[in-house]
Amino acid sequence: MTEYFEQIHNGLPITDVEIIDFHAHLGPIQVMHVPANDSVSMIKTMDLCGINKTVVSPNIGINSDFVLGNDSMLEEIRAHRGRIYGACVVNGHYPELSMDELHRCFSEDKDVKMIKIHPYSTFCNMKDRRMKKIYEFASDRKLVVLVHTWLDGDSYGSQDIFAEVVKDYPDIKWVMGHSGGPYGSYHAVELAKEMENIFLDITVSTSPARQIEYFVSEIGSERVMFGTDNPFIDPRPQIGRVGLADISHQDRVNIFSENARRLIDF
């Protein structure tokens, strides 16, 4: 039993530790029904469970129009200053436009904090040569890049494809989105042990038992990032996973927010 057992089981927010959601989204998406997908509804849900800040990537930017998506991201971070932060979405099929968007987003608002790449939804392999300037932009600025990764069947952004690119850009802080999915934990740890600039993301809808404890024991809590996929997934179970994990209080603090603050200046 942890110090947050009673709060979590009674549905009360955690208030004595800052919580930063490093992996969230924004808006509707065509492949599923996502209720409460607007920023106001998301903040209401955040308040229910004690999430102080969230970094969002716009769904429309991942699946269709990334310029429009980045427009909506910029609008929402300005409307909810200090609660919502942005991830600039790019698409390797449009390298010049992606570079324009990177320059625009990072110059227009200080609360754009990272780059989001979704190889599977954009149908662009991470190793595609058209991605090179995007990586160079991130490397020159030592940025955080969050990449959707999945199992070996993902021909665009599997864990091994991800690792091949990571090796070429050691100055980028790479977050392995979903840590390869619900069955990718072992390989995620193997890769993180090889490359110290890989950070593991706990955002999953189907969670392996004791995944968080395994990550912490193998690579340390300092490289485990808290994320929820809000509004795709209700963030409260993710709070419970960390709050009830068999780890130390400092490990919990690291995962909930300290690691995010080490990577990004909020």
Side-chain angles (χ1 to χ4, degrees):
M1 185 180 299
T2 74
E3 66 268 39
Y4 296 117
F5 183 89
E6 293 297 331
Q7 280 174 268
I8 290 170
H9 279 266
N10 287 308
L12 300 174
I14 292 176
T15 57
D16 64 329
V17 174
E18 182 183 34
I19 300 177
I20 299 175
D21 184 352
F22 217 64
H23 185 164
H25 292 270
L26 177 70
I29 191 167
Q30 79 274 21
V31 296
M32 67 181 77
H33 173 56
V34 184
N37 60 62
D38 62 285
S39 59
V40 173
S41 298
M42 289 175 62
I43 289 175
K44 181 179 179 180
T45 304
M46 290 162 59
D47 290 341
L48 288 173
C49 54
I51 297 175
N52 303 95
K53 305 177 188 296
T54 187
V55 185
V56 303
S57 55
N59 288 325
I60 192 172
I62 292 170
N63 288 278
S64 54
D65 187 338
F66 64 99
V67 176
L68 179 61
N70 289 329
D71 284 343
S72 68
M73 174 269 292
L74 289 166
E75 180 180 345
E76 296 303 339
I77 64 177
R78 290 163 183 161
H80 304 284
R81 188 71 70 185
R83 298 300 304 279
I84 293 180
Y85 296 79
C88 177
V89 177
V90 293
N91 186 328
H93 290 300
Y94 305 93
E96 294 83 8
L97 188 54
S98 289
M99 292 306 300
D100 289 344
E101 282 300 284
L102 288 171
H103 287 288
R104 177 175 78 100
C105 290
F106 281 92
S107 64
E108 279 194 17
D109 202 296
K110 62 181 179 59
D111 285 342
V112 177
K113 296 297 187 182
M114 68 173 77
I115 299 171
K116 175 64 181 284
I117 298 172
H118 201 303
Y120 183 79
S121 288
T122 57
F123 302 104
C124 185
N125 192 297
M126 282 189 71
K127 295 189 295 182
D128 191 300
R129 60 182 176 78
R130 294 171 296 179
M131 296 291 294
K132 183 178 180 181
K133 288 186 179 180
I134 295 169
Y135 299 144
E136 289 174 347
F137 179 96
S139 182
D140 290 344
R141 293 159 178 79
K142 295 180 169 59
L143 295 175
V144 174
V145 177
L146 170 61
V147 182
H148 173 96
T149 64
W150 212 245
L151 305 177
D152 292 338
D154 182 351
S155 59
Y156 300 99
S158 70
Q159 290 171 294
D160 288 332
I161 294 172
F162 171 81
E164 288 185 53
V165 175
V166 168
K167 289 176 183 177
D168 292 335
Y169 297 94
D171 289 332
I172 296 176
K173 292 164 279 192
W174 295 94
V175 179
M176 186 190 293
H178 312 291
S179 294
Y183 304 108
S185 300
Y186 289 119
H187 196 34
V189 165
E190 290 173 348
L191 295 174
K193 286 181 176 179
E194 291 179 18
M195 291 162 276
E196 293 185 354
N197 60 329
I198 290 178
F199 297 81
L200 300 186
D201 167 42
I202 66 167
T203 305
V204 285
S205 56
T206 303
S207 171
R210 299 181 66 82
Q211 181 197 52
I212 292 173
E213 289 91 338
Y214 176 66
F215 284 170
V216 170
S217 69
E218 293 294 320
I219 65 167
S221 62
E222 295 82 3
R223 292 168 64 198
V224 181
M225 310 303 298
F226 178 76
T228 70
D229 248 354
N230 185 25
F232 286 128
I233 304 170
D234 190 312
R236 282 166 282 197
Q238 293 291 86
I239 298 285
R241 290 182 64 210
V242 179
L244 299 177
D246 185 15
I247 54 178
S248 72
H249 179 73
Q250 186 57 51
D251 289 333
R252 254 184 277 285
V253 172
N254 287 339
I255 295 169
F256 272 143
S257 59
E258 284 300 309
N259 296 340
R261 286 195 170 276
R262 291 187 190 104
L263 294 186
I264 287 176
D265 180 14
F266 285 97

